[in-house]
């Protein structure tokens, strides 16, 4: 039995801590992720053949590409393969068997220059018990080595010992998708490699089904965010994402058909939805606020 006092004790220990992960903003990972996304969306040639490496890198910063930089070090792996350095652990004992990507927000400040050092400073901001589960909110601040702010990301993970069961959230209604696609196990493996992610639910189907009761491999939460922001940038190349807030609903599984819907909600504000095009199950939905690119 996991008590609230047990979670509160861990919260008191983890919240004062900060974690700093260093990296370099380089073209190699950007190119690899771009190639992966172009393959998924069936883009046969570059949309801007005159783009330089630096301009490509600058645009990519606003498309969710920050997830492939300053990744976890994987030095304290949990039973599910993911790093436990920010997970509820007491006396080296892992309290929860499963972790789920629940929601998040990204504030895009400015892109880093190509081939420059940057660091990500992480801190657990809140720990919220919910029945026998717990939500953990993490803030990640990307800065240059000189301290110039580049991006602020907040992510919320749900830790639970409950096995997977469908949530049966309301379906999307009366909307036709702009694009449809499927993700293969190889697509998920490539993304796991790009993000240094050893979470077994993304590449080990036997573990996903036998331990967590998932029917098959699960698509990464950050991958879903990048898919939807990347496709939005293709449809609106004259806009730059300034702020994106989102949440997940039903899980998005490998080899399932997926679709993206973009609905304008105001001046330079859009609702983005990732969903199943036939049964209208919503995987992820959020609102992006944009601005005109600087000239």
């Amino acid at each position: 039995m996991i008590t609230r006092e047990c979670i509160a004790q861990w919260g008191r220990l983890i919240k004062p801590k900060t974690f700093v992960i260093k990296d370099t903003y380089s073209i190699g990972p950007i190119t690899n992720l771009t190639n992966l996304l172009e393959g998924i969306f069936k883009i046969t040639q570059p949309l801007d053949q005159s783009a330089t490496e630096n301009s490509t890198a600058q645009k990519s910063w606003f498309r969710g590409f920050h997830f492939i930089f300053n990744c976890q070090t994987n030095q304290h792996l949990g039973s599910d393969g993911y790093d436990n350095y920010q997970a509820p652990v007491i006396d080296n004992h892992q309290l929860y068997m499963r972790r789920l990507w629940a929601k998040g927000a990204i504030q895009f400040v400015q892109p880093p220059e190509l081939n420059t050092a940057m660091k990500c400073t992480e801190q657990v901001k809140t720990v919220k018990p919910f029945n026998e589960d717990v939500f953990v909110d993490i803030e990640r601040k990307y800065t240059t080595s000189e301290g110039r702010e580049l991006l602020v990301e907040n992510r919320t993970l749900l830790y639970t010992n409950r096995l997977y069961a469908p949530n049966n959230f309301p379906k999307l209604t009366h909307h036709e998708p702009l694009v449809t696609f499927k993700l293969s196990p190889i697509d998920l493996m490539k993304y796991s490699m790009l993000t240094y992610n050893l979470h077994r639910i993304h590449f080990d189907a036997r573990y996903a089904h036998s331990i967590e009761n998932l029917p098959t491999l699960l698509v990464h939460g950050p991958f879903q965010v990048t898919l939807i922001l990347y496709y939005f940038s293709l449809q609106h190349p004259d806009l730059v994402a300034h702020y994106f807030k989102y949440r997940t609903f039903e899980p998005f599984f490998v080899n399932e058909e997926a679709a993206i819907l973009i609905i304008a909600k105001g001046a330079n504000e859009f609702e983005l939805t990732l969903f199943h095009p036939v049964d209208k199950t919503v995987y992820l939905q959020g609102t992006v606020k944009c601005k005109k690119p600087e000239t």
Side-chain angles (χ1 to χ4, degrees):
M1 183 73 175
I2 300 172
T3 65
R4 284 181 174 261
E5 178 52 36
C6 182
I7 296 302
Q9 177 187 348
W10 174 76
R12 289 191 294 269
L13 293 172
I14 195 70
K15 285 195 285 186
K17 297 181 180 180
T18 57
F19 306 86
V20 177
I21 305 173
K22 297 180 179 180
D23 207 342
T24 300
Y25 195 56
S26 54
I27 195 64
I30 294 170
T31 300
N32 289 333
L33 180 53
T34 300
N35 290 340
L36 174 58
L37 294 167
E38 287 180 348
I40 291 168
F41 290 118
K42 305 294 191 297
I43 299 171
T44 56
Q45 61 182 8
L47 299 179
D48 186 359
Q49 297 180 346
S50 64
T52 64
E53 285 188 350
N54 190 60
S55 64
T56 298
Q58 298 247 324
K59 290 179 181 178
S60 297
W61 189 246
F62 302 97
R63 296 172 171 177
F65 279 47
H66 68 283
F67 288 118
I68 63 176
F69 295 98
N70 304 83
C71 301
Q72 68 285 337
T73 58
N74 294 323
Q75 294 180 352
H76 308 282
L77 299 184
S79 61
D80 60 357
Y82 200 76
D83 204 319
N84 260 351
Y85 71 117
Q86 294 171 340
V89 173
I90 296 292
D91 297 329
N92 295 320
H93 174 66
Q94 177 180 314
L95 300 182
Y96 293 97
M97 178 181 65
R98 302 180 64 219
R99 69 191 92 201
L100 309 170
W101 197 279
K103 61 181 180 178
I106 307 167
Q107 179 186 351
F108 301 92
V109 182
Q110 55 186 318
E113 295 294 328
L114 193 60
N115 299 322
T116 58
M118 58 183 178
K119 65 178 182 179
C120 178
T121 304
E122 299 182 320
Q123 188 173 17
V124 172
K125 303 301 287 188
T126 60
V127 177
K128 304 174 184 175
F130 180 74
N131 296 326
E132 294 187 9
D133 304 334
V134 64
F135 289 94
V136 177
D137 298 324
I138 302 164
E139 179 185 76
R140 310 180 81 233
K141 289 186 176 181
Y142 288 78
T143 59
T144 65
S145 56
E146 298 82 18
R148 180 167 55 90
E149 194 171 82
L150 303 169
L151 181 149
V152 180
E153 179 203 346
N154 291 91
R155 58 176 64 169
T156 300
L157 301 184
L158 170 65
Y159 289 86
T160 183
N161 285 317
R162 292 178 291 116
L163 297 180
Y164 163 73
N167 293 314
N168 296 317
F169 282 109
K171 309 286 188 177
L172 194 69
T173 57
H174 309 303
H175 291 297
E176 293 301 319
L178 296 174
V179 64
T180 60
F181 58 93
K182 290 183 179 181
L183 300 184
S184 71
I186 297 301
D187 294 329
L188 269 60
M189 178 64 76
K190 289 178 179 178
Y191 190 79
S192 287
M193 294 170 69
L194 282 168
T195 53
Y196 207 42
N197 188 334
L198 303 181
H199 201 175
R200 294 172 68 178
I201 60 174
H202 305 308
F203 64 86
D204 186 344
R206 178 176 296 179
Y207 170 87
H209 182 64
S210 63
I211 302 300
E212 300 201 13
N213 199 42
L214 297 163
T216 186
L217 300 177
L218 189 65
V219 180
H220 319 61
F223 198 3
Q224 297 181 50
V225 173
T226 301
L227 284 164
I228 209 166
L229 287 176
Y230 180 80
Y231 187 76
F232 173 80
S233 73
L234 301 182
Q235 300 303 302
H236 296 275
D238 56 329
L239 296 176
V240 173
H242 173 64
Y243 182 75
F244 182 53
K245 185 176 183 179
Y246 64 91
R247 65 162 293 185
T248 61
F249 290 87
E250 295 288 351
F252 176 19
F253 294 111
V254 71
N255 291 324
E256 281 190 337
E257 196 166 8
I260 293 175
L261 178 68
I262 301 173
I263 299 177
K265 289 295 184 178
N268 297 330
E269 184 173 322
F270 301 83
E271 181 182 78
L272 311 183
T273 306
L274 181 68
F275 68 104
H276 193 288
V278 178
D279 68 20
K280 308 301 182 183
T281 296
V282 176
Y283 303 132
L284 181 145
Q285 187 174 69
T287 300
V288 62
K289 296 181 180 179
C290 305
K291 59 183 178 180
K292 297 288 184 179
E294 296 180 2
T295 57

